[in-house]
Amino acid sequence: MQDLPNLILVGPMGAGKSTIGRLLAAELSREFFDSDHEIQSRCGADIPWIFDVEGEDGFRQREVQMIEELTRLDAVVIATGGGAVLREENRRRLRERGTVVYLFTTVEQQLKRVAKDRNRPLLQRPDREATLREMFELRDPLYRATADVVVRTDRRSPRAVVNEIVRRIQRLVDPLQAKA
């Protein structure tokens, strides 16, 4: 599947973008990039620190620059941050420069997956569930509008999700391929 464009994973925190992205890249013999990790690496600081010092807007501007840079690469797998779709310029770049896969997960599953995670600045509020529900209401339509493919991740192993992504992407490339 080397004729395939970049594969870009979008979805909320806790959907498995980083884990699935690494496995998908290995499966396809591609390089993997996580936009949040790349931002942290460049800044020499973690995301909560960037949010504290620069605010969410400062972080989002760094994210725009990182997505611009990563989507210019060829034949890579990219995991974006959960809020990357909030900016129209990001959504446009993602759609134009790759095949976008929305890793869908429910708020209930997100709560389980991020329960002990203190590295999520937007979740440092008293009612995490209400925060996640608000973010879902705002972001789900943006993920769907940006994505070429939607894949559910709830109660599924990362390997099963990767296998489904590969099958579905192959059909996008070659619609006549036998259904698996």
Side-chain angles (χ1 to χ4, degrees), residues 95-164:
R95 283 190 303 264
E96 290 172 354
R97 298 180 184 170
T99 298
V100 181
V101 179
Y102 171 19
L103 298 181
F104 176 85
T105 190
T106 60
V107 169
E108 291 74 23
Q109 191 69 52
Q110 283 181 275
L111 282 167
K112 289 177 188 169
R113 292 179 180 166
V114 300
K116 294 184 172 107
D117 193 338
R118 299 291 168 235
N119 245 357
R120 312 240 185 211
L122 295 176
L123 282 187
Q124 302 315 309
R125 299 183 178 137
D127 190 346
R128 285 179 151 206
E129 182 175 356
T131 300
L132 288 172
R133 288 197 187 287
E134 286 171 24
M135 290 181 355
F136 179 84
E137 292 299 317
L138 173 67
R139 296 176 180 185
D140 181 65
L142 300 174
Y143 295 136
R144 290 178 186 281
T146 307
D148 298 293
V149 175
V150 178
V151 176
R152 188 176 198 88
T153 66
D154 285 10
R155 294 184 300 272
R156 298 179 68 196
S157 73
R159 174 58 53 203
V161 174
V162 167
N163 291 341
E164 180 178 345

Side-chain angles (χ1 to χ4, degrees), residues 7-142:
L7 292 177
I8 303 165
L9 305 179
V10 299
M13 63 181 86
K17 296 180 301 287
S18 298
T19 300
I20 290 165
R22 274 187 210 89
L23 287 170
L24 185 61
E27 176 76 19
L28 300 174
S29 301
R30 291 180 172 213
E31 204 168 353
F32 172 70
F33 295 93
D34 180 308
S35 64
D36 283 352
H37 291 139
E38 294 298 316
I39 291 168
Q40 290 179 116
S41 177
R42 294 273 171 83
C43 292
D46 64 13
I47 290 173
W49 186 88
I50 297 168
F51 266 75
D52 284 347
V53 173
E54 299 178 2
E56 184 175 358
D57 197 55
F59 173 78
R60 296 290 172 214
Q61 193 50 47
R62 289 181 182 275
E63 188 174 55
V64 165
Q65 294 165 349
M66 186 55 63
I67 286 174
E68 162 65 23
E69 185 178 321
L70 292 175
T71 58
R72 288 197 175 279
L73 300 172
D74 289 321
V76 296
V77 175
I78 302 167
T80 63
V85 296
L86 293 172
R87 298 263 174 112
E88 171 56 36
E89 59 201 300
N90 286 343
R91 294 191 305 270
R92 186 178 61 253
R93 282 188 185 113
L94 296 174
R95 283 190 303 264
E96 290 172 354
R97 298 180 184 170
T99 298
V100 181
V101 179
Y102 171 19
L103 298 181
F104 176 85
T105 190
T106 60
V107 169
E108 291 74 23
Q109 191 69 52
Q110 283 181 275
L111 282 167
K112 289 177 188 169
R113 292 179 180 166
V114 300
K116 294 184 172 107
D117 193 338
R118 299 291 168 235
N119 245 357
R120 312 240 185 211
L122 295 176
L123 282 187
Q124 302 315 309
R125 299 183 178 137
D127 190 346
R128 285 179 151 206
E129 182 175 356
T131 300
L132 288 172
R133 288 197 187 287
E134 286 171 24
M135 290 181 355
F136 179 84
E137 292 299 317
L138 173 67
R139 296 176 180 185
D140 181 65
L142 300 174

